[in-house]
Amino acid sequence: MNAILVRQALEIIPNANILVNFVSRRVRQLNGGGGRSSRALVADCERLSAADIALTELIEGKMGFDMPEFIPLTRPNGKDKHRPKGWATG
């Protein structure tokens, strides 16, 4: 993978672990052959590896990514004796 492309892609997806998963999924699609998802979405990609093609597609906006919103979970503490619906009573 080209380090410059990786730095540019990290500006779009700041979490490196998510970027790796995103790129590896697209590389599998490109290398899989057959179907519409196996064609590159960028022009002039003869000399690029599959990973560089995936990064270029992300940088050029051909593929999008939205980070999900994290919702903090709360656990009942037993102080108010209210249990969520569906919990067994004891």
Side-chain angles (χ1 to χ4, degrees):
M1 281 194 289
N2 187 336
I4 296 169
L5 292 176
V6 172
R7 277 191 226 108
Q8 291 174 347
L10 280 170
E11 293 174 6
I12 298 169
I13 301 177
N15 188 326
N17 294 326
I18 295 174
L19 178 63
V20 167
N21 289 332
F22 187 85
V23 170
S24 65
R25 172 176 262 180
R26 182 62 180 142
V27 167
R28 275 187 246 119
Q29 289 175 349
L30 290 169
N31 290 335
R36 292 175 33 161
S37 65
S38 64
R39 286 186 276 150
L41 301 174
V42 293
D44 193 30
C45 59
E46 301 87 33
R47 294 176 283 133
L48 296 175
S49 67
D52 289 342
I53 292 171
L55 288 169
T56 304
E57 289 174 347
L58 177 66
I59 292 165
E60 290 183 1
K62 304 290 183 176
M63 297 174 55
F65 177 80
D66 292 328
M67 191 70 161
E69 180 180 331
F70 291 103
I71 301 171
L73 300 176
T74 58
R75 182 169 226 175
N77 57 13
K79 291 180 183 175
D80 54 5
K81 302 290 184 197
H82 295 322
R83 294 176 182 229
K85 258 187 175 175
W87 277 40
T89 57

